Amino acid sequence: MNIHDREIPVDDQAWQAQENARRGDPDADPTDLRIARALRLAPSMDLPPDFAAQVAVLARTQAIFSAVLEQRLLRGLVLVFALSAAVVVAWFGHGWVAELGTVLPGGQDAVAWSGIAALCVLGNWGFGLLRDRIERGAHAA
């Protein structure tokens, strides 16, 4: 919605009072006169020639910090979720493993092989993360 598409009520008397103060009318409201004087006497801004570049670098730095923080928080949440899942499996898993052994075609041997396969997948994932971290450390140095 565009701001020009709707009617904004304007108090004509207040508008005229502010205009009178802007023009320096001594009969204007003292608060409006003070605001008008402050606006007229605003200090000049001597910005450095590379001000925009400095602001861009600052914005980029803050964006990178924000992304790193978000990534670390996400990893922390994944870790908490994995630990809580491990606790639930450890607490209630004995019954699941016994039932899984009766359902799978290989019985308890199939359960053991499934566990080994899961550990291999997790180990591969963990080593991949470790390799990425080492490579990032090598590129940063």
Side-chain angles (χ1 to χ4, degrees):
M1 180 175 178
N2 193 343
I3 191 167
H4 301 294
D5 292 343
R6 62 178 179 220
E7 283 292 319
I8 299 174
V10 177
D11 183 4
D12 287 331
Q13 289 179 333
W15 180 277
Q16 287 304 320
Q18 291 171 3
E19 284 296 314
N20 289 339
R22 187 183 63 80
R23 289 186 199 107
D25 184 2
D27 295 331
D29 183 45
T31 304
D32 289 337
L33 281 171
R34 206 170 350 168
I35 292 170
R37 187 173 23 256
L39 289 173
R40 276 193 302 274
L41 301 175
S44 65
M45 297 301 240
D46 294 328
L47 298 175
D50 63 341
F51 176 73
Q54 290 175 4
V55 171
V57 168
L58 180 63
R60 192 175 308 115
T61 303
Q62 288 178 351
I64 290 171
F65 175 75
S66 177
V68 168
L69 176 66
E70 182 179 344
Q71 190 176 39
R72 288 182 180 168
L73 287 174
L74 184 60
R75 284 183 182 164
L77 286 174
V78 167
L79 180 66
V80 168
F81 176 73
L83 288 175
S84 64
V87 167
V88 167
V89 167
W91 192 266
F92 300 107
H94 182 66
W96 295 348
V97 172
E99 288 181 28
L100 193 58
T102 61
V103 172
L104 288 177
Q108 289 299 331
D109 288 338
V111 172
W113 283 109
S114 298
I116 291 170
L119 286 175
C120 287
V121 168
L122 286 173
N124 186 22
W125 179 66
F127 281 124
L129 288 176
L130 184 62
R131 184 184 63 237
D132 290 345
R133 180 170 283 214
I134 289 171
E135 287 176 0
R136 269 186 282 158
H139 288 115

